[in-house]
Structures are given as C-alpha cells and as structure tokens.
C-alpha cells in the first residue's frame, strides 16, 4: 500500500476526470475516441504529479485499463486511501487565528473528515461572517469576510462550480500610496464550504484571495 501522497483538491480532480472517462466509455461507440480519452485522462493525471514515485506512477498506469463501473468504483475507493489529511487543528488554535473576536463561533471539528478538506470554512449567521482557515505557504492562516446571500446559484470563485453562492467581502490593508488605506476585496463563494471542498480541484484562486486579503 502506498503512503498518502495527494491533497484533497488533487483527489477531486482525478475523481472528476475518471467520472468523465467512465461516462464516455458508456456513451461513445467509437473505440478510437475512447482510446484517445483514456490517454488524455492518464496524461492529465501524470502531468499533475510531476514528482510521483515509480510506485505512484504504476498506480496511475492502471487508469487506461479501467472499463466497467465496478472497476472505476474500486479504483476510486483505493484512491481515497492516498489522500493526505488537512493538518489537525484544535479549537484553541482556531481562536488564536482570530484574536480580536472574543466570541468566535467555531466549526464542529469533531464532525469533519480532515482527509477531504482543502480548507476549513464555516459561517456565523448572527454576524453574517464567513471564516476560512488554510495552510498558506506552510503556515495555518485564517481570514474572515462578510457575506451577502444571493439566494440563487452562481459560479464559486474557489471551486469554479455552479452552487449556492454568497458575495463575500474581506477587509485588506492596501499599500503602495503615500498613506496606507483600508480597502476591500470581494468575490462569489460557496455558502456551503463542505460542498466547496468536495468540488475544488485547484487552490490557485483560494490562495490568491487570501493573499489579496493579507497583503
């Protein structure tokens, strides 16, 4: 058995790619097309793992051989074992990330499956705030923003999927002028962070938003 080596967003991407491959195998009669899609799927997975060991590559080399629904399901079940968990955090550690908030509402940590988290996100309905905790550049970092529900579906800037979203704005200290001034950055995000964690396949937008807030 391999040592866990992929993060949640990478697992989500492979799962999505395999879902598309399985769908095309079921719906496409042209075997040349299917063969091309198999190769493209395998190539994308290999490209996202440039530091993969030989053992990890052999695991990915099984992708073009998958054919039946039960084979895909068995492969995905095995894939779950190789997801590295989000770093465990305690309630006290979360409170230290938000020292100015005296009555911080905390997420139900005991209910979270840290293997399938890219970030910890939760809302406080009483203050209309969304909290995000992420391991940014090797350091556990927290930001907060006010959210305005849209009461409709839209594209989340973090996971790029069509879900129930809210417009989230966060205060940032903008620099570059003679006098520092406070501005705000905002974007549409999933109101359900659990759903967002299931969808996210790339952390670039998450990291960009956090750095925009922190810089």
């Amino acid at each position: 058995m391999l040592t866990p080596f992929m993060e949640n967003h990478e697992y989500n991407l492979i799962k999505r790619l395999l879902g598309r491959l399985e769908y095309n195998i079921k719906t496409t009669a042209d075997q040349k097309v299917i063969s091309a899609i198999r190769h493209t799927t395998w190539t994308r997975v290999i490209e996202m793992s440039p530091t993969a060991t030989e053992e990890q590559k052999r695991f990915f080399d099984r992708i073009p051989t998958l054919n039946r629904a039960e084979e895909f399901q068995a492969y995905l079940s095995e894939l779950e074992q190789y997801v590295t968990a989000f770093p465990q955090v305690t309630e006290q550690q979360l409170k230290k990330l938000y020292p100015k908030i005296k009555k911080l509402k905390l997420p139900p940590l005991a209910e979270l499956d840290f293997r399938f988290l890219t970030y910890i996100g939760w809302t406080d309905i009483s203050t209309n705030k969304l909290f995000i905790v992420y391991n940014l550049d090797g350091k556990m970092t927290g930001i907060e923003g006010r959210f305005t529900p849209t009461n409709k579906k839209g594209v989340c800037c973090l996971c790029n999927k069509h879900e129930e979203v809210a417009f989230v704005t966060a205060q940032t200290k903008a620099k570059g002028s003679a006098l520092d001034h406070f501005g705000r950055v905002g974007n549409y995000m999933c109101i359900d962070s659990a759903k967002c964690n299931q969808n996210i396949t790339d952390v670039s937008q998450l990291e960009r938003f956090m750095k925009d807030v922190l810089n």
Side-chain angles (χ1 to χ4, degrees):
M1 179 176 171
L2 294 171
T3 302
F5 62 91
M6 72 181 69
E7 297 181 5
N8 175 63
H9 69 280
E10 296 171 319
Y11 165 78
N12 289 340
L13 178 57
I14 296 175
K15 185 177 180 180
R16 186 178 300 178
L17 291 171
L18 291 181
R20 291 174 182 171
L21 174 58
E22 183 180 7
Y23 174 81
N24 279 282
I25 290 174
K26 290 179 180 177
T27 59
T28 304
D30 192 326
Q31 292 303 307
K32 290 184 178 179
V33 173
I34 293 177
S35 179
I37 296 173
R38 288 184 190 276
H39 180 73
T40 299
T41 302
W42 172 81
T43 300
R44 286 199 62 185
V45 172
I46 292 298
E47 287 178 344
M48 64 174 277
S49 308
T51 60
T53 65
E54 290 302 316
E55 191 176 11
Q56 291 164 4
K57 289 178 181 177
R58 285 195 294 272
F59 177 70
F60 291 141
D61 284 345
R62 290 163 48 192
I63 289 175
T65 71
L66 302 176
N67 190 56
R68 300 189 304 274
E70 55 268 30
E71 293 173 344
F72 278 94
Q73 186 57 52
Y75 189 87
L76 286 172
S77 295
E78 189 174 350
L79 187 68
E80 289 184 359
Q81 303 174 57
Y82 306 132
V83 180
T84 58
F86 185 90
Q88 292 282 337
V89 293
T90 65
E91 291 186 353
Q92 196 60 35
Q93 288 172 319
L94 290 181
K95 289 177 181 179
K96 287 183 179 179
L97 294 177
Y98 303 95
K100 295 182 180 180
I101 303 178
K102 301 306 179 184
K103 294 183 179 180
L104 177 67
K105 177 186 176 182
L106 295 169
L109 294 178
E111 299 176 12
L112 301 180
D113 187 340
F114 283 78
R115 283 186 308 162
F116 302 112
L117 290 181
T118 294
Y119 68 92
I120 299 176
W122 73 99
T123 58
D124 184 345
I125 302 298
S126 65
T127 59
N128 276 12
K129 282 189 175 183
L130 171 71
F131 298 89
I132 292 176
V133 172
Y134 175 67
N135 192 24
L136 182 65
D137 297 332
K139 181 181 179 182
M140 200 62 64
T141 307
I143 63 171
E144 61 180 284
R146 291 195 176 277
F147 68 87
T148 304
T150 61
N151 298 316
K152 61 181 180 180
K153 288 193 172 184
V155 177
C156 170
C157 75
L158 303 184
C159 70
N160 201 36
K161 294 292 285 185
H162 200 250
E163 299 287 355
E164 293 285 345
V165 296
F167 189 70
V168 179
T169 57
Q171 186 169 282
T172 176
K173 190 175 184 181
K175 298 181 179 180
S177 59
L179 295 174
D180 289 350
H181 61 280
F182 288 90
R184 302 188 76 82
V185 293
N187 217 320
Y188 290 94
M189 299 182 187
C190 287
I191 197 68
D192 184 346
S193 296
K195 178 65 69 174
C196 192
N197 271 288
Q198 292 173 11
N199 291 332
I200 192 168
T201 58
D202 188 326
V203 296
S204 58
Q205 291 300 321
L206 170 60
E207 293 187 350
R208 182 177 303 169
F209 186 82
M210 293 195 71
K211 288 177 179 179
D212 283 345
V213 173
L214 297 169
N215 291 338

